Each structure stands twice: as structure tokens, then as C-alpha cells.
Amino acid sequence: MAFILKDKIKSSQRLRKMGQIFYLTCSNFNGNNLWDSASACSFGFIFSFVPLALIIFTVLVGILRVNPALIDYVNAFSDEIETIVDIKPFIDNILNKKNFHVLDIFLAVWIIWMARKMFISIIRAMTKIFNYQRKHRGILNQALMFISEFLFVIVITAIIIFIFSFNQLVSANVFEPLRKLLPEIVNQSSNNIFSFAMYFVIFIFTFFAYRVLSGTKPPVLICFLCGLLDSVCFFFISMWVSKFMNLTNYNIVYGTISTVIVLMMIIYSFFIFFLFFAQMIYVIQNFQLLIECEVYLLPPSEKKGWFVSLRRILFINPTSLKTAENARSYKKGDVIFDAGQKVDSVYYLRSGIIREQIGDVIIEHKKGMFIGDTLCLLDEGFRGRGIAATDCKVLIFTGQEFKSFIKRSPLAASKALSKLAEI
């Protein structure tokens, strides 16, 4: 029976911790105004999409000279994105071009420059989330962006070439019986491979961004799981849009720009998930500090509302902060501290009531309150005797631990200053 009870307690603690992580992620996501950052990344992607597409097709057209059979596949692919950008004249121009001029070089540099916008927006958003102050390394950062763009182009080009090769293989005579037996599967195979490859590229991109662009080197497993969750969420959003949104209705109202609008919505949803899970990684990395901050900022029990109740349920009993060294239990009537005693520790009341008598005045400390926090910052002694009015459970933080936490948390420092001003 004791073993079952222990398992239940552990399960409830794990559930509460998951709730705390989710709450802290949502709270910090909103506090960092990442909705606007997601919009900036989406616009950056739209500005980068055309330049990157032009670079990719420039590479492909170069390959066309070696394998002309690829031109049909490229033209078919260009038909898919014709409502967004018509690249057929661009492809024809490159195929017919014999020499390159100074203007061509200028345009190539401009294309690469415009493609930087997405990477810049992402780096700014990651800096906002992880509070990582990067050293000013202009040339190195520019080189990193160019390398990222280069790798992106190479990967997408490789995917297109692979799918073309697969289609060529499937169309061979040896697969004729398979095409007759499973026409739907064979016909859809290239689309399925392309979709899988694109989601795999998205996963690799998110994993790389979480691990490298954060600047804090989160654990590989956390980056892997969050990158996977981001890709899965984006997959379901894309599937929902393709299944339930009828572009024909939007074409009637908005014309061909409706494709851009829907694309913008899909890209925006991707960056929402991308930044949300980046914020979750930050929360997991700094969970201890964020929990301490939330516990210290808990609203008083007199304050009402469902949001206040949720915060108190999640954080009023912070089991993750409890250790064998800082957890104490007191019986009713026990003296916890005396008047004049140096405040070298701060008490957090997990349960029960502590009454502090200062002369003829009695101050009642209830569950969820800190005792001695302002006096610790002032290096003063307790002004009265604290007695347990009921059985109590407390967490004891050393003065050094408390001061270190206040220094690292601007919100907690702000509350401490406001309490000091009331003394």
C-alpha cells in the first residue's frame, strides 16, 4: 500500500511539473512578445523565399545542362508555385544565357542579401528568448548566415534531384506490373517522399537552431524532442489547412494573392510552434530559477480569480525546490526564530500559520509567504518572535541563496524593492 501511495505521489508531482513547465512557457512566450517575433520571422521567410528559390533553380538549371531530362521535372515543380512567383522566364533566361555580366553578379549578391532576412529574424527571436548576449562578431555571423543559406540550397536541390531520380526509376519498364497493381501508391510516391523529406529538413533545421542559435547549448535530447514536437505540430497544421481550407473560395475574393495569404498563415503557425518550443527549452534549462521567481511572486490568498488560483495551485508547494537540507517541520507552539536573531536564512511557509509578535502587534504569516526576505537584504535581525500557531512545514533558503536568486531575477528584485519601500 505504501508503495502504491508513493507511486501516486510521484505521478502527481510529475504531472504538476509538466503543468509548471507549460505555464512558464506560455507566460514567458507572452512576456517576450514572441507573437510579433513570429510575424517578423514569417515576413522574413516570405522575403527570403523568392531569393532562395531563385538560387535553388539556378543550381538546378546548371545541372540541366548535364542532364536535360530534368527540365520537365523542374517545369512541373515551377507550375506548383506559379501563383506565388513565376520562375519560368528566369529558367529560360539562364538556359539561353552564354555569358554573365556585371549586372548578373550584382543580382546574385542582392539575392543572397535578401535571403538573410529570415535568418536575422530568427537570431533576434532566439536572443530574446535565451537572453544570450552574443559577442559582436560581424564577419563570423555573416559567414554563418551564408553557410546556412548554402547548406539550405544544397539540401533542397538534393531533395528535388533525388525525387526526380526516383520518378525516373519508378517509370522504368521493370516496374510496369507494380504501376498497374498499385497505381495510386506509385503515382503518389514522389509527393509522399517530397513531403517526408521537407519535414525532415524542417526537423533538422529546428534541431540545429535550438542547439546552436540559442547560444546556451541545451542538452541534445531536449533539442531533439522539441524539434520533433515542432515538426509534428507543423505537420498537423499543414494537413488541416490542406484538408479543410478551400482555396477556391479565397481565390474569388483575393485572387491569386490568396495563395500567398494561406502560405503566410502556414508559415506563421510554424514559427509560433518553433518559438514556443524554443521558449520551452529555455524554461527547462532555467527551471529552478523560474520556479523560485514564481514562488516569490505568488499573489496573496486574498486576491481572487481563476488565473490567480491556477498559479497558487501550480507553485504554492514547490516540491522541486525541496531538499533534505532545506525542508523543516515544526509542531504547534515551536519557536522558529527570536527577536534580534540575525536573519541569515529566509523562510518559505509551505503549510500552516506562523505568528510573529513585535511588541503588542501580532503579524500572521500564512501559507505561500516568505518570512525574513527584506530583513535579509538589509542585514538586520528579526523584529519579533516567530511561533508556529499550527503544525508548519517550511523551506529554508540561506541568505546567500536568496540574494543570489534576487540578483538573477529582475521581477523578484522589483518585488523585493517594493517591499523594502513599504518598511
Side-chain angles (χ1 to χ4, degrees), residues 178-192:
L178 183 62
R179 289 198 299 273
K180 291 181 179 179
L181 182 64
L182 302 170
E184 290 296 326
I185 295 178
V186 175
N187 292 336
Q188 291 294 323
S189 58
S190 61
N191 291 332
N192 292 336

Side-chain angles (χ1 to χ4, degrees), residues 209-226:
Y210 293 155
R211 177 66 179 171
V212 178
L213 298 184
S214 62
T216 58
K217 293 184 179 179
V220 173
L221 180 60
I222 294 177
C223 294
F224 177 86
L225 292 176
C226 287

Side-chain angles (χ1 to χ4, degrees), residues 205-418:
F205 165 77
T206 54
F207 174 82
F208 171 82
Y210 293 155
R211 177 66 179 171
V212 178
L213 298 184
S214 62
T216 58
K217 293 184 179 179
V220 173
L221 180 60
I222 294 177
C223 294
F224 177 86
L225 292 176
C226 287
L228 183 62
L229 287 171
D230 176 43
S231 304
V232 169
C233 290
F234 180 61
F235 167 76
F236 282 110
I237 285 292
S238 302
M239 185 175 65
W240 179 83
V241 170
S242 63
K243 186 173 183 179
F244 295 104
M245 292 192 69
N246 187 353
L247 286 179
T248 305
N249 297 333
Y250 296 95
N251 286 333
I252 294 174
V253 179
Y254 300 108
T256 56
I257 200 174
S258 61
T259 305
V260 178
I261 294 173
V262 174
L263 174 66
M264 192 72 177
M265 184 183 69
I266 295 174
I267 298 304
Y268 180 69
S269 68
F270 165 76
F271 281 111
I272 287 289
F273 288 121
F274 172 77
L275 296 179
F276 179 84
F277 287 112
Q279 187 68 77
M280 182 174 286
I281 291 174
Y282 172 82
V283 168
I284 294 172
Q285 277 190 290
N286 300 274
F287 185 69
Q288 194 80 0
L289 174 64
L290 293 172
I291 286 290
E292 289 173 348
C293 183
E294 280 297 324
V295 170
Y296 191 65
L297 296 173
L298 270 180
S301 57
E302 294 80 14
K303 196 172 181 180
K304 303 299 181 182
W306 70 268
F307 187 69
V308 172
S309 300
L310 175 63
R311 286 182 67 182
R312 290 182 67 84
I313 289 172
L314 287 174
F315 299 104
I316 201 166
N317 188 16
T319 53
S320 58
L321 300 181
K322 179 183 175 183
T323 65
E325 292 76 24
N326 68 7
R328 296 285 188 278
S329 296
Y330 296 96
K331 297 292 185 182
K332 180 180 179 180
D334 287 349
V335 177
I336 300 174
F337 52 84
D338 255 320
Q341 176 185 330
K342 184 179 179 182
V343 183
D344 53 5
S345 297
V346 176
Y347 298 84
Y348 172 71
L349 189 54
R350 292 173 56 210
S351 64
I353 298 174
I354 296 175
R355 290 196 178 99
E356 182 180 1
Q357 185 167 359
I358 306 174
D360 296 331
V361 179
I362 296 178
I363 300 175
E364 198 169 76
H365 302 285
K366 298 180 180 179
K367 180 180 179 180
M369 290 185 174
F370 276 79
I371 306 170
D373 50 338
T374 54
L375 298 174
C376 176
L377 295 174
L378 294 171
D379 289 325
E380 295 183 2
F382 285 107
R383 298 177 179 178
R385 168 177 283 193
I387 300 176
T390 64
D391 290 349
C392 298
K393 292 182 179 180
V394 301
L395 294 180
I396 301 177
F397 301 96
T398 66
Q400 185 178 358
E401 289 174 340
F402 180 74
K403 290 176 181 177
S404 174
F405 150 64
I406 291 295
K407 288 179 181 178
R408 294 167 59 198
S409 174
L411 291 175
S414 177
K415 179 176 180 177
L417 289 173
S418 64

